[in-house]
Every structure is written in structure tokens, then in C-alpha cells.
Amino acid sequence: MQAVAYIRVSTDEQAKEGYSVPAQKERLEAFAKSQGWTIIDYYMEEGQSAKDLNRPEMQRLIDDIKKGSMGIEVVLVYRLDRLTRSVLDLYKLLKLFDDNKVAFRSVTEVYDTTTAMGRLFITLVAALAQWERENLAERVRMGMAEMARQGRRPGTKEPYGYNYVDGSLIVNKTEAAIVKKIFDMYMRGYGLRTIVKWLNNPEHPVPSKTGRPWYENTVSYIITNPLYVGKFVWGRDPAEIKKHKTLFRAVAPEYIYDGSHEAILDNDTWEQAQFKLKKRKNMPPRLASSNYPLTGVLKCGLCGAGMCGSISTQKNKSGKRKVRWYKCGARDHALGCTMKYMRAETVEEKVLEYLSSITNSSDLHILADTSLRDKGNSKEQEEIASVNKEIKELTAKKKKWYDAFEVGVIGIDDLRERTKSIADKEVFLRERLSEIELVEEFSWTPEERFQMVKNINWAWDRATPEERKELIRELFEKISIFPTGEMEYEFI
């Protein structure tokens, strides 16, 4: 058989009898001769520790075995600890040897993978490696949990806006300015796609943390990340993260920790961004940033269906031009509505004319009328009371199951199953409660609404399509349009 000899000695072992490089080499050559084997190469390392596999000669040995060009059939060592002192590393090496049909032999011990006893040894080592892996993972989890309790974010990957300095998150001022710009653009009505285009603009590209282009998911990650208000998320089940498609939405309070790092944003800005994100999420597809600012609010006066955008090409003396229309969403159905197409520019101009007219007439009371607002607030208060009642009932039910477990009526598996179901419902209810409270907190006052309407023409001329849509949705609950062009308005 063609053998290779691996010889290692650490600095502390240099002077020990039998451990020197010449002594190991002599014993290995004598053993190979007694077996009729030929040593075709030596891998000798002096002053190297066996704590890991990052050793020059060890890496050369691994590469030679993987290549298979030398025809290595067996690896010889003086003792097992010459190869490695880690069970995990030993398992990796033995698996490498086995995958490449290379045997392993220690000349002073019974470790010989060319025999049935040796193969049993590999099985035992694999079991030990699994045990060590699990223990290591448990120790890592405990260490990370302790870090989280101390307000230190576990992990080594630097989030955008921060750098790790001596294990602590320190604000990167250049990146922090970009984080603030992203939030500012989002709050002004720009969609994720528009923000990404600005970040990737070839004339003034903004470098990402990785150097790769920006994507919508990257921007969404920043907007939803509580890290930027001095908090961090830790401890969630990876399956839950996958279920919600994103890391930070639908996060239960017990997974959010107060961090010791400096915040980049204030709480009000971040919470308003979350509120806006939820509003956009609830919009029908493509309405959040389309070129039809009235969609989602404009309704057919005949059937009540939503009016959607449509575009046609018309010919004239100067060539072809595209014309925008609003059409009833039920028009093309089997029992289609007979509502005709309405020119988008004409409809939008009528809305602006109406808003301009009420700022100069006695109709101003429409904007300042608090009766509808009070009615809305009353409904929200009722829902808050209802949600709080359900949460209280769930807490009582959870206590009942814990009491049943303590007296032995149910087992631990039943307890886990029942309390998990309760916990899932509680997370949903608390998220709903948070949404209602955000709606109350960030509702426009009559005075703010009045100022918005008073300056509507100035704002409309300067607004992006996203911002125009946001203005309409902040003012109107519904606008109904009829075939005659007559319109009815219902304010929020």
C-alpha cells in the first residue's frame, strides 16, 4: 500500500522524548516496513497546535487526498492526537478519508480503519461529534441570549448604518445619513422601487454594505428594522421568519430587545413609517405607486365597484399619443356595468377644482366636522376594548393550562401544544391592537387637513405620482363618479 506520514509537534512538546519530529519519523518508517507499505510523502509540522485544521501541512494533505493524483491509500500517524485534538475535526478527517477510499492508522493505538473494529470506531467518533456539536450549539445559544439581555446585538454581520468596533455597534455617519434619506423619501410617498432607483443611480450611486446593487428587499429590511431606533430583534424561530417572508414584520414583543447602541432615528419617524407601510400593504395590487392617483378611492356611481386605470393610443395629425382613462372594474365582467370610460385628466381636474372651491366657501366646515371623526374614534375605541378583552381571556386560559400541568392533569407535550396555540393568537391580537393605536395616533387633525387642501394645487404640481395618491387617500374615504360626470365626495 502507498502510505503518507503525518508528523506534528507543538512548541511545548519539542523537548519531550518520543515526540520530536525525528523520533516520530523513525517509528512511522519502521511500522510501514513491517506492513510492507511504502511511504511516498511526509507532512511534517513543527510548532503547530492541534486545536483546528488550519495548519499548512494539514491543508496540503487534505488537498492531496481530494485531488487523488498521488494514489494515497493510507495515512499514518504516531498517535491520534498528532492528527487533531478535536472530535469534530477528527470526524471531518475520517469522513474525508472514507469518501476518498483512504485508510487511517495510528501506529501506537488500535485506531485502524482497515478493519471492522476500526470502522466501529468511526461510528463512535461520529456519535461523539454529534454530541459535541449539540453541546457547542447550546453553549452558543446561551451566550447569545446573555448578550441580548445585556442589550448587545448578537451576531457579527454589520447592519447598514453601523460598524462593529470592539464588539459594539457604532454609528457610521455616512451610512446613517443614507438611512435617514431612505426614511425621508418613504415618508414623502416614494415607493421602494423609486428609492432603489435613486440608490443605484449610475450618476451618483450609493454604495451598499456589500458593494452589490440595492434591491427592494434591502430597502424594506432597513425600513422595518427596529435597530435604527435603538432596539434589535433576536430569538425568533427561523421557521417563523420564513413564514412571514421578512425578518421584522409580525414580531412578538418578547423578541424585541432594548439595545445599548445609539439610535439613528427617533421613535415617531420609525412608527409613522411602519404605519405607512401597513397602509400601502393593504392597498390593492399596483395601486400604491401607479400613475392613477384616484384608484382605490374613485368608485363607480352605478354599481359601486372601484374605478381602475386604463390607457389607449389615439392618432392625431402629429402622430400617436397615449390617453389615460378611468373605467369601472366591473365593466368587463359577464354581468358587466354600463359605466362609460372617463378621461383621467378631466376627472382629476374636477377633484382639484372641488377642493379649491371649498377653501373659499362656507363648505369649510366639511373639513372641520368632527362628528365623523368622533364616530370613527368611537368605533376604534370599541375595537380596542374588544381586542383587550380577548387578550385577557387568553391570559386566563393560559394560566388554567399551567395550573392543570402543575397538578398532573396534562403532560408537558400537551401544555406546550395548548400554550403555543394561545401564544400565536395573542401575537395576532397584539399586532392588531398596535395597528389600531397607530391609526389613532397618526390621524390628521381638521386643521392639518385644512392646510393640506388650501395648498392642494401647489402641492399637486410638485408631487410625484406616489405623493399624489397619498394626498387623495389622506383626504377622501370615497369619491363616486356618474356617467354624466357628476361626482360625490366622502371625506375621511
Side-chain angles (χ1 to χ4, degrees):
M1 292 181 74
Q2 294 200 116
V4 293
Y6 180 80
I7 299 168
R8 182 191 67 81
V9 62
S10 67
T11 304
D12 294 338
E13 295 166 335
Q14 295 274 11
K16 289 185 180 179
E17 186 178 351
Y19 278 89
S20 67
V21 170
Q24 290 184 53
K25 185 178 180 182
E26 183 181 345
R27 292 291 298 273
L28 292 174
E29 288 174 344
F31 182 84
K33 186 176 181 180
S34 71
Q35 302 295 313
W37 299 347
T38 303
I39 297 178
I40 58 174
D41 202 354
Y42 294 89
Y43 300 82
M44 298 185 288
E45 299 192 281
E46 297 187 58
Q48 293 287 337
S49 170
K51 64 179 181 179
D52 55 41
L53 299 179
N54 295 322
R55 295 167 252 156
E57 287 295 277
M58 172 57 73
Q59 290 301 311
R60 185 168 74 88
L61 171 62
I62 291 171
D63 288 343
D64 287 345
I65 290 174
K66 287 180 178 178
K67 290 174 185 175
S69 57
M70 293 178 60
I72 300 172
E73 295 178 276
V74 61
V75 175
L76 282 175
V77 296
Y78 176 64
R79 285 172 57 92
L80 182 61
D81 62 6
R82 300 302 87 201
L83 199 65
T84 180
R85 294 182 184 273
S86 164
V87 176
L88 282 175
D89 287 343
L90 177 59
Y91 175 65
K92 290 176 186 176
L93 288 172
L94 291 177
K95 188 175 186 309
L96 172 71
F97 297 163
D98 189 54
D99 290 346
N100 291 275
K101 295 181 173 53
V102 174
F104 165 69
R105 182 68 189 269
S106 167
V107 303
T108 59
E109 297 157 320
V110 295
Y111 307 137
D112 179 4
T113 62
T114 63
T115 66
M117 184 62 72
R119 287 188 287 275
L120 173 62
F121 166 70
I122 290 180
T123 304
L124 294 174
V125 167
L128 284 171
Q130 177 64 25
W131 176 81
E132 185 169 318
R133 264 196 302 269
E134 291 174 357
N135 273 274
L136 178 61
E138 182 64 28
R139 290 195 297 272
V140 169
R141 281 194 295 270
M142 289 174 64
M144 293 176 77
E146 182 58 31
M147 283 183 67
R149 280 192 290 271
Q150 294 175 7
R152 295 158 55 209
R153 174 180 177 268
T156 56
K157 186 177 179 180
E158 290 185 341
Y160 193 82
Y162 292 92
N163 294 122
Y164 270 115
V165 179
D166 297 328
S168 299
L169 283 176
I170 304 298
V171 173
N172 179 316
K173 292 183 179 179
T174 302
E175 293 178 353
I178 299 301
V179 170
K180 290 178 180 178
K181 179 68 174 177
I182 288 171
F183 273 83
D184 178 63
M185 291 180 71
Y186 191 74
M187 293 304 297
R188 287 194 287 122
Y190 290 94
L192 298 180
R193 188 175 300 174
T194 304
I195 296 173
V196 168
K197 285 182 179 178
W198 175 78
L199 291 165
N200 289 329
N201 189 326
E203 294 182 5
H204 50 77
V206 176
S208 68
K209 202 74 169 177
T210 60
R212 295 193 291 267
W214 290 83
Y215 298 96
E216 289 182 39
N217 283 345
T218 317
V219 176
S220 177
Y221 176 94
I222 289 175
I223 292 172
T224 58
N225 195 341
L227 186 80
Y228 300 107
V229 286
K231 302 178 184 293
F232 62 90
V233 174
W234 182 82
R236 291 184 68 197
D237 186 337
E240 281 296 302
I241 298 172
K242 186 176 180 181
K243 175 183 174 183
H244 292 290
K245 309 296 183 186
T246 184
L247 184 58
F248 302 118
R249 290 182 193 164
V251 178
E254 58 264 33
Y255 299 124
I256 300 178
Y257 291 78
D258 290 325
S260 57
H261 61 281
E262 180 185 350
I264 292 175
L265 302 168
D266 60 83
N267 277 303
D268 286 346
T269 300
W270 191 80
E271 287 177 2
Q272 288 183 49
Q274 307 319 299
F275 175 61
K276 196 178 192 72
L277 187 71
K278 287 175 182 175
K279 282 182 65 178
R280 292 176 72 94
K281 185 182 175 184
N282 292 331
M283 287 185 187
R286 299 180 63 186
L287 291 192
S289 58
S290 72
N291 198 30
Y292 295 86
L294 301 182
T295 49
V297 171
L298 189 64
K299 307 294 181 183
C300 172
L302 296 182
C303 71
M307 300 287 285
C308 55
S310 180
I311 196 164
S312 66
T313 303
Q314 296 183 350
K315 292 183 179 179
N316 56 25
K317 293 181 180 179
S318 59
K320 294 180 180 181
R321 68 188 185 97
K322 291 183 178 181
V323 180
R324 293 185 305 118
W325 303 86
Y326 285 106
K327 71 171 185 176
C328 176
R331 179 184 171 90
D332 299 329
H333 292 181
L335 300 174
C337 179
T338 59
M339 180 69 178
K340 65 180 183 180
Y341 281 63
M342 309 298 288
R343 283 284 294 265
E345 289 84 356
T346 303
V347 175
E348 290 159 12
E349 284 172 7
K350 282 189 175 183
V351 173
L352 291 177
E353 286 172 7
Y354 172 71
L355 289 173
S356 297
S357 70
I358 66 170
T359 61
N360 299 308
S361 72
S362 58
D363 291 335
L364 277 173
H365 72 275
I366 295 173
L367 295 173
D369 187 357
T370 59
S371 61
L372 290 175
R373 188 180 54 156
D374 292 341
K375 183 179 177 182
N377 286 347
S378 176
K379 184 179 178 181
E380 287 161 358
Q381 288 297 329
E382 286 177 8
E383 189 172 359
I384 288 173
S386 175
V387 172
N388 278 323
K389 182 181 177 183
E390 287 188 68
I391 292 173
K392 190 174 180 180
E393 289 172 355
L394 288 175
T395 303
K397 191 179 289 187
K398 187 160 53 175
K399 184 179 184 302
K400 184 184 78 172
W401 289 124
Y402 276 114
D403 291 342
F405 171 71
E406 286 180 5
V407 297
V409 175
I410 62 172
I412 185 66
D413 291 337
D414 283 339
L415 177 67
R416 284 173 179 162
E417 183 178 348
R418 296 175 193 274
T419 54
K420 185 181 185 303
S421 173
I422 292 172
D424 290 342
K425 290 178 183 175
E426 191 174 352
V427 167
F428 171 78
L429 289 172
R430 290 193 184 280
E431 186 178 346
R432 177 59 189 146
L433 191 63
S434 175
E435 288 177 2
I436 301 168
E437 290 170 346
L438 278 170
V439 169
E440 282 200 316
E441 183 177 352
F442 299 119
S443 294
W444 290 80
T445 66
E447 293 76 18
E448 290 171 329
R449 204 177 300 278
F450 168 68
Q451 289 299 325
M452 186 192 301
V453 172
K454 186 178 179 181
N455 299 291
I456 190 69
N457 287 308
W458 181 88
W460 192 268
D461 291 340
R462 291 161 177 77
T464 64
E466 293 92 341
E467 290 171 329
R468 289 178 177 181
K469 181 175 289 295
E470 192 68 26
L471 282 170
I472 294 298
R473 293 181 72 89
E474 291 291 354
L475 288 170
F476 295 104
E477 181 71 31
K478 182 172 72 171
I479 302 174
S480 298
I481 186 167
F482 299 89
T484 59
E486 182 184 353
M487 302 172 76
E488 292 180 357
Y489 304 90
E490 183 180 325
F491 287 94
I492 290 176

